[in-house]
Amino acid sequence: MTAHSAGTAATDVRDDSVRELESAFRGTLVRPADEDYDTVRQVWNGMVDKRPALIARCAGAADVISAVNFAREQGLPVAVRGGGHNVAGSGVCDDGLVIDLSPMNGVRVDPGGGTVRAEGGVTIGDLDHETQAFGLAVPMGVVTATGIAGLTLGGGIGWLRRRHGLSSDNLISADVVTADGRLIIASAEENADLLWGLQGGGGNFGVVTSFEYRAHPVGPDVFLAFVVHAGTDAAEALRFYREWAGTAPDEVSSFAILWHAPEIDEIPAEHHHAPIVVYLAVHSGDGAHAQQDLASLREFGSPIADLSDTLPYLEVQQFFDADYPAHEMRYYWKSHHLAGLPDDAITALVDLNENSPSLHSTLDVWQLGGAFGRPGPGDTAFGDRSAPFLLGIESNWERPEDDDACVEWGRAAFRALEPFSTGAQYLNFPGLYEDPDEMLRGSFGANFDRLVACKNRYDPTNLFRLNPNIPPT
Ligand SMILES: Cc1cc2nc3c(=O)[nH]c(=O)nc-3n(C[C@H](O)[C@H](O)[C@H](O)COP(=O)(O)OP(=O)(O)OC[C@H]3O[C@@H](n4cnc5c(N)ncnc54)[C@H](O)[C@@H]3O)c2cc1C
C-alpha cells in the first residue's frame, strides 16, 4: 500500500506559463525533468510517493503570493509544505503545485518582549536553537525535524503543554496569503476570526508565511524522568500512571508509552524486543522541586531501568529524533482523546502492544490537563480540552510488504479504543484522512460551523483543500 498513484507521470504545466511565473520568482521552481525533483518531492513518511507537476520553493512572501495566484489561475491542486512531516503526506500532491516553504526558515527573537517571529518553513529544531540562546522556548512537539507550521495549525502538543499550553495557544499573530493572493495579518486586532481558525483549524484558510509566538523562560536544564517497566507489569504500571497523572503539577508533562524494548545496554538483555511500558516525564519548572515532584513515578513497582537525569532542554527536545527517520520508514498514525483510562482500556492497550506486527510501533498515552486543559472549547478552533489523556496510535514499520498488516493494526487499535474516546481525535495524527467528515465533526464539535464561516470568508473556492478539509458552503 502506497499513498500515491503508482507509476503515473506527473502532469506537466505549460512551459510559457511556468516561464512567466519564473520571471517573478526569487526562489526556485522544480519540475519533473529536473535533477533534484525526486529529492525535493520527498516527504517524511516513506509510504508517500507523490509526483507534483511543479514545486515552488519559495524564498519569501512575494513568492508565495505568485505561487498562490499561479495555482488559482491554472486550476491546479495545491499542497502547502512547511516541514513535510504530515503523517498522511498532505504537504505534497499528484499532478498539482506544491507551495514549499522549507527554504523560508528565518527566526527572530525579541527577548525583551518575550516573543518570537518564525517563517513558515521553520522546524522545531530551528526555533529551539534560536529561542534557547535567550533562555526562552515556545511549546512545540517532541521531534525536532517536524515543521512548526503544520504542527501549530493543528494544535501542537509537546513537553511544555501542561505548563504553557498548545503551540497554537501561544500564537499571537500570523501573516497569511489568502486564496485571492492577498497578504493579510491575523491577530487579536485584525481578522481575529482568522487567528481563531489558525489555532487548530489546520491549513484551511491560506498559506502562513510567518508566525508570531509568545515565548517563555525555560531551561537551560530540565529534569527528565525515564523509567522502564517490563511487559509482565504493564497493566499495573498503567493503572498506577492513571492515578499519578491526576496529581502531577503543571510543570510536568508526561507519557506512558507501550512499546517493545530496544537493544540498548541500559535495558537488561533478556527484555530486548519484548513488550515494555515506558514512563517519560519532563519537569520544566524549578529544578529544586523536580526530583521531589517526580519521585513517586520513579519509585513505583520494580522498574527494569531508570535512566532519569537532569539534561539540557535542547537535548530533551531531541530525545526521540533518531526513532523517526525520514523517507526510509513507513508510518500510519491515529488518535483518540480518551475520556479516562478504565481497566478495560488498559487491557486492550496491553493486548494490542503484545500483538503488534512491528517492534517499532507504539501506543502513547499523553497526559493532558494543566495549561492545555484550561481554555474553553470555543476559545480556539482546537475544541474541547476536557479529556485527561490523548492516545496516540503509532504504527511504524520498515518494509512495504508489511504495509497491510501494519495499517490494519493501527486501525484495529483505533476501533478497540473507540468506546473510551470522547469522540474527538487529534488532527495532526490523521491516519490517511480516510474518514474526514467523522474526524472533523467529532473533533471540532460546536466549533465546526464557525470554521465553515471562516472558510467561506477566506477560501470560498476551497483552493486549500489537501488538509483536514473544512468544506465551504
Ligand atoms: C516524527 C513526528 C513527530 C511528531 N511529533 C508531534 C508532537 O510531538 N506533537 C504534535 O502535536 N504533533 C506531532 N507530530 C505531528 C505533526 O504536528 C504534523 O505531522 C504536522 O502536520 C507537521 O507539520 P509540517 O509543517 O512538518 O507538515 P507538512 O507536511 O509540511 O504540512 C502539513 C499540512 O500543514 C499545512 N501547512 C503546512 N505549512 C503551512 C503553511 N506555512 N501555511 C499554511 N498551511 C500549512 C498544510 O495543510 C499541509 O498539508 C509529529 C509528526 C512527526 C512526523
Side-chain angles (χ1 to χ4, degrees), residues 241-388:
Y241 179 73
R242 167 181 71 198
E243 306 308 324
W244 171 86
T247 65
D250 290 2
E251 286 90 345
V252 173
S253 295
S254 72
F255 292 98
I257 299 178
L258 293 95
W259 192 27
H260 285 76
E263 223 178 291
I264 55 171
D265 292 345
E266 293 83 354
I267 295 181
E270 68 267 27
H271 293 285
H272 289 171
H273 308 303
I276 50 172
V277 169
V278 182
Y279 298 150
L280 279 168
V282 167
H283 193 299
S284 60
D286 184 351
H289 295 154
Q291 300 262 4
Q292 195 187 333
D293 288 344
L294 290 169
S296 58
L297 187 68
R298 296 177 63 195
E299 282 159 10
F300 167 73
S302 311
I304 55 172
D306 183 347
L307 311 174
S308 308
D309 205 353
T310 298
L311 294 169
Y313 174 72
L314 284 177
E315 208 172 299
V316 169
Q317 283 288 91
Q318 294 159 12
F319 181 85
F320 289 113
D321 283 6
D323 295 326
Y324 296 99
H327 319 314
E328 68 208 50
M329 271 186 58
R330 309 168 81 79
Y331 303 92
Y332 177 83
W333 293 4
K334 297 280 285 178
S335 72
H336 284 298
H337 283 243
L338 297 178
L341 198 57
D343 288 353
D344 287 351
I346 289 175
T347 304
L349 289 170
V350 171
D351 186 52
L352 283 158
N353 189 45
E354 285 174 356
N355 293 295
S356 160
S358 166
L359 298 180
H360 300 292
S361 295
T362 64
L363 295 158
D364 310 332
V365 182
W366 299 65
Q367 177 196 16
L368 299 178
F372 164 89
R374 282 195 269 279
D379 289 353
T380 67
F382 187 84
D384 180 54
R385 312 281 186 108
S386 61

Side-chain angles (χ1 to χ4, degrees), residues 44 80-87 90-91 101 120 141-143 146-147 149-151 153 156-157 203 206-208 324 333 366 426 428-429 466-467:
W44 168 77
V80 181
R81 178 191 173 125
H85 270 55
N86 181 277
V87 191
S90 63
L101 279 85
V142 301
V143 175
T146 313
L151 178 121
L153 296 171
I157 48 173
V207 184
V208 181
Y324 296 99
W333 293 4
W366 299 65
Y426 180 38
N428 275 338
F429 301 161
L466 300 181
N467 48 41

Side-chain angles (χ1 to χ4, degrees), residues 449-472:
D449 291 345
R450 213 169 140 190
L451 282 161
V452 172
C454 202
K455 184 77 173 173
N456 285 341
R457 182 164 175 214
Y458 296 102
D459 184 21
T461 63
N462 210 6
L463 184 68
F464 303 110
R465 60 178 173 274
L466 300 181
N467 48 41
N469 194 227
I470 310 280

Side-chain angles (χ1 to χ4, degrees), residues 43 54-56 58 64 67-68 71 77-86 89-93 96-102 104 120-121 149-150 153 176-177 202-209 211 433 459 463-467:
V43 289
L54 183 65
I55 303 169
C58 300
V64 174
V68 166
V78 179
V80 181
R81 178 191 173 125
H85 270 55
N86 181 277
S90 63
V92 64
C93 59
L97 174 70
V98 174
I99 301 181
D100 180 0
L101 279 85
S102 52
M104 293 173 56
L153 296 171
V176 184
V177 176
N204 272 287
F205 311 110
V207 184
V208 181
T209 57
F211 297 83
Y433 288 138
D459 184 21
L463 184 68
F464 303 110
R465 60 178 173 274
L466 300 181
N467 48 41

Side-chain angles (χ1 to χ4, degrees), residues 3 15 65 83-84 100 116 125 133 166 199 220 267 389 392 414 450 452:
D15 280 346
I65 292 171
D100 180 0
V116 189
L166 289 168
Q199 292 177 304
I267 295 181
F389 299 107
F414 182 79
R450 213 169 140 190
V452 172

